[in-house]
Amino acid sequence: MIKGGCYCGKIRFEVAGDIRPVVYCHCGQCRKMSGHFFAASAANIADFSVTGDVKWFASSNEAKRGFCSDCGTQLFWKLHKEDQISIVAGAFDTGTKLVAQKHIFVDEKTDYYEINDGLPQFSADGEPIR
């Protein structure tokens, strides 16, 4: 069981099953919503539970983002048609043993940082960059 929550503690979540490796997303929407690129893992909805009042924002026609309406912590991202939920990696309690897998939407990244960690990089259309 891996647990986490928001900054103020009013929202807590648990994942009872497998957690996917972290993906770094550099798309414009993730950058605007998080202030930098987005680092998230994912879990099956069936393995996920949450307590507290998650506020959902329809960030597009295909997806929504969940956050704490008290402290503002962005916690989740979910495609409407999928049975998995993305969970912001920084919201997990310590000891997750998560590993990073890849960078996506690299062609949309901004210019103030470089990606030099050696992980695979992909464009917005899923094509390999490196």
Side-chain angles (χ1 to χ4, degrees):
M1 181 80 62
I2 298 177
K3 300 178 181 184
C6 67
Y7 180 72
C8 73
K10 291 185 178 176
I11 296 175
R12 295 291 299 161
F13 62 85
E14 296 180 348
V15 178
D18 293 332
I19 296 182
R20 290 165 190 73
V22 173
V23 173
Y24 299 124
C25 183
H26 301 268
C27 79
Q29 186 182 104
C30 283
R31 284 188 294 105
K32 294 286 185 180
M33 295 293 294
S34 71
H36 193 44
F37 60 85
F38 197 75
S41 181
N44 292 330
I45 289 290
D47 297 331
F48 173 80
S49 64
V50 64
T51 58
D53 186 24
V54 176
K55 177 75 173 173
W56 290 96
F57 168 70
S59 55
S60 72
N61 290 334
E62 293 85 30
K64 61 185 180 179
R65 293 176 184 266
F67 64 95
C68 175
S69 61
D70 287 313
C71 67
T73 302
Q74 186 178 176
L75 296 164
F76 313 117
W77 181 83
K78 174 147 184 5
L79 282 169
H80 300 309
K81 295 181 180 180
E82 288 195 7
D83 291 333
Q84 75 173 16
I85 188 164
S86 292
I87 306 166
V88 175
F92 286 103
D93 296 341
T94 58
T96 64
K97 298 186 174 113
L98 288 171
V99 295
Q101 179 183 52
K102 63 184 173 182
H103 294 267
I104 60 174
F105 288 85
V106 172
D107 50 333
E108 293 185 23
K109 86 171 204 52
T110 191
D111 59 357
Y112 70 86
Y113 64 93
E114 296 297 322
I115 302 171
N116 54 15
D117 57 12
L119 293 173
Q121 298 180 25
F122 298 88
S123 66
D125 60 6
E127 292 296 317
I129 292 177
R130 286 187 177 176

